[in-house]
Amino acid sequence: MPDHAHTPHAPFQRKEDRRLVTGHGLYTTDRTFAGELHAVFLRSDRAHADIVSLKTDAAKAMPGVHGVFTAADSTAAGMVKVMCMLALKGTDGEPPRVPARSAFADGRVRFVGETVAMVVADSVAAGLDALEAIEVEYRDLPHVVDAGRALDAGAPVIHDTAPGNLCWVGEAGDRAAVDSAMAAAATVVELSVESTRVIPSPMEPRCCAATYDAANDHYHLYSVTQGVNAMRMQVSFAAGIPESKLTIHAQDVGGSFGNRSPHYPEHCAVMLAAKTLGRPVRWAGTRSECLASDYHGRSNQIAGKLAIDKDGHFTAIQLDWVADMGAFITPAGIASHTRNPVVLLSGVYRIPAMHGRWRAVFTNTSPIAPYRGAGRPDVNYMIERLVDEAAARLGMDPADLRRRNAIGLDQFPYKTPTGTTYEATDVPGSLEKAVLLADWKGFPARRAEAKAKGKLRGIGMATFIENTGAGVFPKDQVDIEVDAKGVVHAFTVAHAQGQGHETTFTQVIADAMGIDTANVLLHEGSPDHVLIGNHTGGSRSLVGAGSVCKLAGLKLVEVAKSAAAAMFDTEPSQVDYVAGTLTDRVSGKSTTLAELARRPEGLKTQAEATIGSTFPTGCHIAEVEIDPLTGTTEILSYVAVDDCGHAVDHTIVEGQVHGGVLQGVGQVFCEKAIYDEETGQLMTGSFMDYTMPRAGMLKHIVIDENCIPSKINSLGAKGVGESGCTGSISAMSNAMADALRPLGVPPMDMPFTSSRVWHAIAAAGGLK
Amino acid sequence: MYEFEYVRPKSVAEAAGFLAANGEARLMSGGMTLLPTMKQRLAQASHLVHVGPLGELKSITREGDMLVIGSAATHDQVQGSEVVGAAIPALARLARGIGDPQVRYMGTIGGSIANNDPAADYPAGVLGLGATVVTHLRQIAADDYFQGLFTTALGEGEIVTAVRFPVPRRAGYVKFAHPATGYAMSGVFVADTGSGVRVAVTGAGNGVFRWAEAEAALAKSMSPKALDGLALDASHFSEDIHATREYRAQLCRVMAARAVNELLG
Amino acid sequence: MSRIELTLNGKAVSADVEDRTLLVNFLRDAQQLTGTHVGCDTTQCGACTVLVDGRALKSCTLLAVQVNGAKITTIEGMANGEALHPVQQAFSECHGLQCGYCTPGMVMAVTDLLRRNPKPTEEQILHGLEGNICRCTGYVNIVKSVKRASELMAAG
């Protein structure tokens, strides 16, 4: 393994680390406001019910209470909308059905955890006391928590505006071509999988605070976020106010994974209270209320078919996909589980005929939003499970079947039958690197050794391709300016939640300008720099904002040269720029960035670019060992070979892969949000039942790169934030299937908890 | 949390007197279960009478063939105690596996057995070793003490002061930890006492219980094989999203065999 | 209300607190030491870990009145001026943090772990981290950070 030396500046230290390891970060819940009040929420304790009456008078009269808010207030204030970023008409000619959602349940609750009322009080304790004085009378309605069942005839209808609970239906590809390929195929493999519902659970519980400037009719919202622009757009839409009336503030964000990009009802609620009461209002969610009311991730039920000819070539793929939306729409919920799978329907393979149908469905559960990968891990899971089941059916080495079908380096740019054009990448090369690192060939001997000890070993491979986020806004802008001391300041919309932008983006600028990174500072989401640009998400920040930082650095040098030329009374072409110093080649006079910045007009510029999707790829291999007596699994090794394009900092890239892989491992082995079918209650409502991955689950991971720089951005970056998740869910699941297949265990779904694995082994007749 | 008054008694006697005089007061030892419950507003008290810091409850001593552990001895104290390590190493290992390092500093043996969580570790050790629970009023044999789900023989205001463990010839404890909480999804304590074999199971059912068939089988032959095919009534076992009844039964068998192996060294 | 007196990051502090005040709220709200975080409500995540008389405890499950008379060290009290504590240094060097939210609790827990066991094995490190949850790093670099901190402390 190459030990990537990250930079010449040892020891490694991210710019953000100093404040974060000393406790001087500024997370949203760390902010206090003069005269602040505290909000607490009454949430629905049932899955589906009409609100017959809601009495708040007693609560309003409690000591320390300043206000109690319900749908009567939020609906009257016009806070009734949810943004939906997919406007595309479906195959039934209809765009997505987007039910209204007031900041508080209006007349009916539709999932456990939904906001019903809010008390605003002097303290959290006083607020909680008052919550108990609110009287709600419900009339229970039948509920449905499973998306497949929500489509059944006679299922309870959750929104009158969405008959049959259907939110949207769409198709992609060529059904006739697929039908004929299936008919002509030597082998057709069919498999149904569920990419389980998980709860993203960043370590910083969801929180927000609002102030209202009455003189200017302007709101300030302090919130966890992935980028202030998207948040401002969404919240102003939901609140029914112009974007110009809202400023979003955020500094440090304690993790996100997609979950902090959407707007939430609590945003409108605290804004409403701040305006009504004329005081700052804070809300800090508890973990339990976050587990119930944070938007959840994944929850896709997919049936797949893969057609293969007699030579082992894939000839067609077909998916029928049911995307659980939960009880309401979230801004990117539909798009991430419909558009991304369409873009990636081919996986890394040459498949001439493709078709899929996507149905987005309402259920009495917390709404679904993007979660690390946002549909990409889900479609990859379906495809890669099909490929491994096909290999088993054909008696082929899964690596060989992938070699036979993977798109080769000489075939790019590759246009898939659903219209995506993939950028050049070398999946076969990554596969060969991975099989060497994992000692794929030596596996049969290791399996035999394990068997002799009474253990079940399995090895699983996944290849994958991802489309990084194309962005919601048309371009990414970066402001860059130099202060009087010569320090370069860059301003972006992209907002880190752990990705280390302050380190990598400033490195990019320092490299572009030939200066020390110590003299470059990054500011994300500054209210004083209103820019067009995208939030951080979809593995796109280095690709987008990061590459524009390079352009900004280069452009700033040109601006500085012009300024110096004017000072020297010469042409810019006569000015040499070296490491922050500008010299007139003729006169020998020189100046510095700092000196130019001290001129009245300062030294600054703005750069921008429009950047679409790149396509990171990779090959991951997992090796597992199951103790059949207890059903427990140990992950023995994990190999990740990624093409993330140009890497600015290998240490940070590896960190992203580590974290992504373990989140995938969490979904595969322990995490699942479970709603009880009968009661509609969330059974995983605290960390006592929602099993977060712990230290030691992933002990051995080997990371390597096989990178081909992207051609669509100035850095050549492709992105790496989600690859760990996308690779590990498929690789781990294939390894588990491989371990269990010799016993005759039929394909099983996540999560591979010890209880479920033991039952599967027992049902297959136990060890043979 | 609802409001309450914090009370720090100077002795067990003072604590007992306070509890007797204040019906809504509650005893707190380490607080590792009580405080989280109160934070969720699932429990309420007029006063929290904190006996955890009382020196008289913290001692760990060997008295002949008895190991006596004060009720406020923390899990960390027990796991690191040379006295415990020399007398009943399985008990030290049990303590080492409770919760996490931070929780072990605060959680106590008295708090654990007074709460009698059906998935707690200590009840298995106390019942498996046939210990005696000492309160400020009386002594209660383990077989009489544990009475099912969060229920014990303790009366209102009765304070556990110590647990007296007869030192066994050998013992072993192995648990299968709940993946989220670390509690026992099934934990089995096997003790070869001077007078026979005792097997106590925690985590599987509504409370710790003795597995009579295993005791009989191991009395004949102390080996994991002796457990093969033994009857185990799982009808009262709990079933939840983490483990089915059958799976808990399987874990009992496997943990019992592993505990025997540990006992055998 | 109770009067408490304690030593907080080396300074004498006395304050009146409601008996039901949790130590973490006392630190964050009354003392403005917001480096100590809250990540759960079931005493599991360890983001709130502080040192009480040198021992790592979860300040979310401890009443402020309980620590009357104790020496408390929070993450803000770890560095010596510009010089980071070796555990802080190691987390930074090994990229043992991403979003940083769990980091203060991790640093405190690891400081105690290394106080008790200056050269822990991998198994001992994992056992020592059972009370702390991280969502970003996959723990790979956290384990590496503990080993590095052990080296840094041995080197003095």
Side-chain angles (χ1 to χ4, degrees):
Chain A
M1 261 309 289
D3 181 16
H4 297 296
H6 34 81
T7 64
H9 332 281
F12 177 82
Q13 184 178 42
R14 297 189 311 168
K15 277 180 181 280
E16 34 288 86
D17 284 353
R18 169 110 209 153
R19 69 171 184 273
L20 298 181
V21 300
T22 56
H24 294 104
L26 182 63
Y27 297 90
T28 299
T29 36
D30 297 341
R31 293 180 190 259
T32 55
F33 305 85
E36 68 189 13
L37 298 172
H38 298 266
V40 293
F41 287 88
L42 179 71
R43 296 178 183 278
S44 172
D45 62 356
R46 58 204 67 211
H48 200 193
D50 283 326
I51 299 174
V52 178
S53 70
L54 179 53
K55 293 181 186 153
T56 60
D57 288 348
K60 281 178 180 159
M62 298 274 287
V65 172
H66 291 256
V68 180
F69 296 82
T70 67
D73 307 292
S74 58
T75 302
M79 294 175 157
V80 293
K81 286 195 288 186
V82 176
M83 177 165 269
C84 177
M85 291 177 179
L86 184 86
L88 193 65
K89 281 185 181 160
T91 43
D92 59 357
E94 296 289 331
R97 287 114 181 133
V98 184
R101 182 179 185 186
S102 194
F104 301 99
D106 196 351
R108 185 184 284 189
V109 292
R110 292 182 172 84
F111 69 98
V112 171
E114 186 175 359
T115 46
V116 172
M118 171 179 67
V119 173
V120 180
D122 286 330
S123 68
V124 171
L128 291 172
D129 288 342
L131 274 193
E132 295 181 10
I134 296 176
E135 290 176 57
V136 196
E137 187 188 337
Y138 291 108
R139 185 185 309 115
D140 283 321
L141 297 168
H143 60 265
V144 58
V145 295
D146 178 87
R149 290 190 187 170
L151 286 170
D152 289 348
V157 175
I158 297 165
H159 296 283
D160 297 339
T161 50
N165 296 318
L166 189 67
C167 168
W168 187 77
V169 56
E171 287 184 53
D174 185 338
R175 181 192 285 267
V178 165
D179 286 347
S180 64
M182 292 282 172
T187 308
V188 174
V189 178
E190 295 188 42
L191 187 67
S192 290
V193 298
E194 181 183 4
S195 182
T196 41
R197 175 182 281 261
V198 293
I199 312 180
S201 303
M203 287 315 296
E204 180 186 17
R206 192 158 51 83
C207 51
C208 56
T211 65
Y212 178 70
D213 172 0
N216 295 297
D217 182 26
H218 194 96
Y219 294 93
H220 293 270
L221 179 66
Y222 300 78
S223 177
V224 289
T225 185
Q226 296 178 207
V228 297
N229 281 18
M231 188 60 83
R232 186 176 62 235
M233 175 181 76
Q234 298 174 66
V235 173
S236 59
F237 180 85
I241 58 169
E243 276 198 56
S244 59
K245 299 282 183 196
L246 175 63
T247 303
I248 310 285
H249 301 262
Q251 185 187 301
D252 294 310
V253 180
S256 173
F257 320 112
N259 196 259
R260 298 329 191 200
S261 71
H263 71 94
Y264 279 88
E266 290 86 350
H267 289 130
C268 283
V270 296
M271 287 165 61
L272 177 64
K275 181 176 182 178
T276 307
L277 302 173
R279 302 264 297 264
V281 176
R282 288 169 74 181
W283 169 66
T286 65
R287 179 57 62 188
S288 301
E289 71 182 323
C290 288
L291 286 165
S293 68
D294 274 11
Y295 298 150
H296 294 176
R298 315 233 194 278
S299 203
N300 293 298
Q301 299 177 13
I302 317 163
K305 278 161 91 171
L306 180 65
I308 306 158
D309 71 12
K310 63 179 176 20
D311 300 320
H313 294 114
F314 302 156
T315 56
I317 188 166
Q318 186 165 40
L319 306 187
D320 190 6
W321 188 304
V322 175
D324 184 359
M325 292 290 104
F328 292 97
I329 288 298
T330 66
I334 310 179
S336 60
H337 290 169
T338 57
R339 181 181 165 276
N340 286 340
V342 171
V343 168
L344 301 173
L345 189 50
S346 208
V348 302
Y349 309 109
R350 298 179 309 271
I351 309 179
M354 311 198 309
H355 175 258
R357 174 174 70 151
W358 280 263
R359 284 175 291 173
V361 178
F362 291 112
T363 58
N364 291 113
T365 60
S366 189
I368 292 289
Y371 171 53
R372 206 167 194 167
R376 303 167 184 91
D378 315 72
V379 69
N380 190 256
Y381 175 55
M382 180 74 255
I383 295 170
E384 291 298 294
R385 287 289 298 118
L386 277 171
V387 170
D388 261 35
E389 290 305 313
R393 175 92 70 86
L394 299 172
M396 276 183 80
D397 177 345
D400 282 339
L401 186 58
R402 288 181 171 84
R403 287 183 179 107
R404 194 164 301 185
N405 286 283
I407 305 162
L409 188 52
D410 55 347
Q411 291 162 313
F412 291 98
Y414 181 85
K415 188 166 186 188
T416 77
T418 45
T420 310
T421 301
Y422 290 161
E423 268 194 290
T425 186
D426 178 23
V427 171
S430 298
L431 185 151
E432 299 310 336
K433 270 191 163 188
V435 295
L436 282 177
L437 290 168
D439 187 18
W440 181 266
K441 280 190 183 161
F443 177 74
R446 298 196 294 278
R447 170 176 266 171
E449 269 177 48
K451 194 174 176 187
K453 293 184 298 174
K455 301 287 176 71
L456 303 168
R457 268 216 189 194
I459 194 164
M461 169 186 286
T463 46
F464 63 86
I465 186 162
E466 303 181 290
N467 52 319
T468 58
V472 174
F473 296 93
K475 56 188 170 186
D476 288 292
Q477 294 178 328
V478 171
D479 272 357
I480 191 164
E481 64 188 42
V482 184
D483 71 18
K485 290 180 180 166
V487 176
V488 176
H489 298 265
F491 299 82
T492 64
V493 175
H495 205 116
Q497 321 104 39
Q499 293 89 340
H501 294 170
E502 287 170 55
T503 303
T504 47
F505 289 13
T506 57
Q507 182 72 53
V508 165
I509 291 166
D511 289 349
M513 299 183 66
I515 58 177
D516 195 301
T517 55
N519 291 322
V520 188
L521 292 175
L522 181 72
H523 310 272
E524 299 189 301
S526 168
D528 302 327
H529 287 258
V530 177
L531 298 162
I532 298 170
N534 287 286
H535 65 288
T536 288
S539 305
R540 80 177 311 281
S541 286
L542 189 65
V543 172
S547 72
V548 179
C549 279
K550 178 175 177 179
L551 301 179
L554 296 173
K555 192 171 172 187
L556 185 65
V557 169
E558 294 311 310
V559 171
K561 279 187 182 177
S562 295
M567 186 185 274
F568 303 148
D569 199 18
T570 182
E571 295 297 315
S573 61
Q574 296 304 305
V575 176
D576 286 332
Y577 171 90
V578 178
T581 300
L582 300 103
T583 309
D584 181 348
R585 222 174 283 154
V586 179
S587 70
K589 283 190 270 187
S590 75
T591 184
T592 62
L593 293 173
E595 198 176 337
L596 293 170
R598 287 194 289 266
R599 295 171 307 145
E601 61 269 45
L603 180 60
K604 57 186 164 189
T605 189
Q606 184 179 77
E608 64 177 44
T610 295
I611 296 160
S613 288
T614 60
F615 291 89
T617 64
C619 178
H620 291 192
I621 296 175
E623 190 164 326
V624 298
E625 189 169 276
I626 300 169
D627 175 356
L629 291 175
T630 59
T632 44
T633 304
E634 187 180 355
I635 300 164
L636 296 172
S637 79
Y638 195 90
V639 170
V641 179
D642 280 313
D643 174 2
C644 60
H646 171 71
V648 173
D649 187 308
H650 293 281
T651 304
I652 285 180
V653 165
E654 291 183 7
Q656 288 295 309
V657 175
H658 293 164
V661 168
L662 193 69
Q663 283 184 357
V665 165
Q667 183 174 2
V668 171
F669 290 104
C670 58
E671 292 181 48
K672 185 183 182 185
I674 299 173
Y675 285 93
D676 186 71
E677 293 268 344
E678 275 188 27
T679 63
Q681 291 293 326
L682 178 65
M683 305 301 285
T684 49
S686 81
F687 278 171
M688 306 283 281
D689 283 307
Y690 190 79
T691 308
M692 292 285 278
R694 299 301 187 104
M697 280 184 81
L698 182 66
K699 288 184 192 147
H700 310 289
I701 179 163
V702 175
I703 293 175
D704 202 351
E705 294 169 6
N706 182 33
C707 295
I708 296 178
S710 169
K711 290 205 171 71
I712 71 156
N713 64 81
S714 64
L715 275 179
K718 284 181 174 170
V720 74
E722 292 162 316
S723 69
C725 239
T726 300
S728 66
I729 290 168
S730 306
M732 289 287 173
S733 297
N734 277 338
M736 292 303 288
D738 183 58
L740 295 169
R741 194 177 288 116
L743 302 184
V745 174
M748 67 182 277
D749 255 324
M750 305 178 282
F752 291 93
T753 62
S754 57
S755 180
R756 296 185 74 238
V757 169
W758 179 79
H759 273 284
I761 292 170
L767 286 188
K768 299 192 173 77
Chain B
M1 279 193 274
Y2 296 109
E3 279 196 288
F4 59 80
E5 208 173 299
Y6 176 81
V7 177
R8 187 110 153 215
K10 292 188 181 60
S11 66
V12 173
E14 185 188 329
F18 193 93
L19 288 172
N22 295 276
E24 300 299 315
R26 289 193 65 163
L27 198 66
M28 179 165 92
S29 186
M32 291 298 99
T33 300
L34 183 58
L35 288 177
T37 312
M38 292 185 67
K39 279 166 65 180
Q40 306 277 355
R41 295 189 163 216
L42 297 172
Q44 201 169 355
S46 61
H47 302 79
L48 283 192
V49 183
H50 191 197
V51 292
L54 285 179
E56 64 180 296
L57 299 180
K58 284 193 157 314
S59 68
I60 298 175
T61 54
R62 176 79 182 254
E63 296 175 7
D65 59 358
M66 282 288 176
L67 173 69
V68 184
I69 300 182
S71 63
T74 63
H75 312 322
D76 185 63
Q77 245 183 296
V78 173
Q79 64 101 19
S81 158
E82 283 179 20
V83 177
V84 178
I88 317 179
L91 201 58
R93 281 196 297 273
L94 177 150
R96 184 175 187 270
I98 299 173
D100 56 50
Q102 294 98 315
V103 165
R104 287 193 288 274
Y105 275 134
M106 295 303 295
T108 67
I109 182 170
S112 172
I113 64 168
N115 187 49
N116 194 20
D117 187 299
D121 297 285
Y122 262 127
V126 172
L127 186 63
L129 288 161
T132 300
V133 178
V134 184
T135 77
H136 77 292
L137 298 175
R138 57 184 171 145
Q139 303 211 354
I140 309 169
D143 285 315
D144 302 323
Y145 177 85
F146 298 103
Q147 302 187 345
L149 203 63
F150 296 107
T151 310
T152 68
L154 291 176
E156 245 351 84
E158 188 169 7
I159 302 174
V160 177
T161 56
V163 183
R164 296 174 65 85
F165 294 94
V167 175
R169 281 164 55 194
R170 8 176 223 180
Y173 175 70
V174 178
K175 76 165 159 179
F176 188 93
H178 184 292
T181 65
Y183 273 93
M185 206 132 91
S186 172
V188 180
F189 201 103
V190 180
D192 177 5
T193 72
S195 53
V197 176
R198 293 174 67 99
V199 178
V201 178
T202 189
N206 282 339
V208 66
F209 64 91
R210 286 174 66 183
W211 182 7
E213 291 84 354
E215 291 181 351
L218 292 171
K220 279 186 203 147
S221 161
M222 183 56 80
S223 82
K225 279 210 172 315
L227 298 167
D228 283 353
L230 271 193
L232 176 61
D233 177 12
S235 59
H236 63 285
F237 280 18
S238 34
E239 179 150 294
D240 55 31
I241 57 170
H242 301 285
T244 60
R245 202 167 278 133
E246 298 75 23
Y247 180 61
R248 280 197 164 85
Q250 166 69 10
L251 289 180
C252 277
R253 297 172 187 287
V254 177
M255 295 306 116
R258 290 179 185 175
V260 170
N261 276 331
E262 194 188 274
L263 173 149
L264 294 170
Chain C
M1 279 294 205
S2 294
R3 183 90 181 155
I4 57 170
E5 295 183 359
L6 40 86
T7 308
L8 181 53
N9 295 332
K11 286 184 199 144
V13 169
S14 62
D16 292 320
V17 296
E18 264 195 77
D19 288 10
R20 64 173 160 172
T21 305
L22 295 167
L23 178 58
V24 68
N25 295 127
F26 174 72
L27 294 171
R28 289 180 55 84
D29 303 337
Q31 299 296 316
Q32 289 87 44
L33 293 171
T34 54
T36 301
H37 296 151
V38 177
C40 78
D41 45 11
T42 48
T43 325
Q44 282 169 300
C45 81
C48 65
T49 302
V50 300
L51 298 181
V52 178
D53 294 329
R55 302 186 310 169
L57 300 182
K58 292 183 175 178
S59 63
C60 74
T61 313
L62 202 56
L63 302 170
V65 287
Q66 276 180 266
V67 301
N68 188 16
K71 281 198 180 87
I72 312 284
T73 307
T74 69
I75 189 70
E76 290 92 342
M78 293 295 282
N80 184 2
E82 283 301 300
L84 293 177
H85 185 279
V87 177
Q88 295 172 314
Q89 179 67 29
F91 268 76
S92 184
E93 276 184 32
C94 299
H95 193 26
L97 67 149
Q98 290 183 23
C99 83
Y101 195 81
C102 75
T103 311
M106 286 281 180
V107 167
M108 306 320 274
V110 169
T111 299
D112 188 27
L113 165 66
L114 293 175
R115 174 183 68 81
R116 298 181 59 152
N117 183 358
K119 286 199 180 303
T121 62
E122 173 126 351
E123 189 270 336
Q124 289 166 336
I125 292 171
L126 296 176
H127 191 64
L129 292 174
E130 280 178 357
N132 294 76
I133 299 177
C134 167
R135 190 55 153 169
C136 293
T137 64
Y139 302 95
V140 177
N141 285 346
I142 289 178
V143 173
K144 203 185 281 181
S145 302
V146 181
K147 292 176 182 167
R148 178 66 183 144
S150 166
E151 286 171 16
L152 287 172
M153 290 168 92

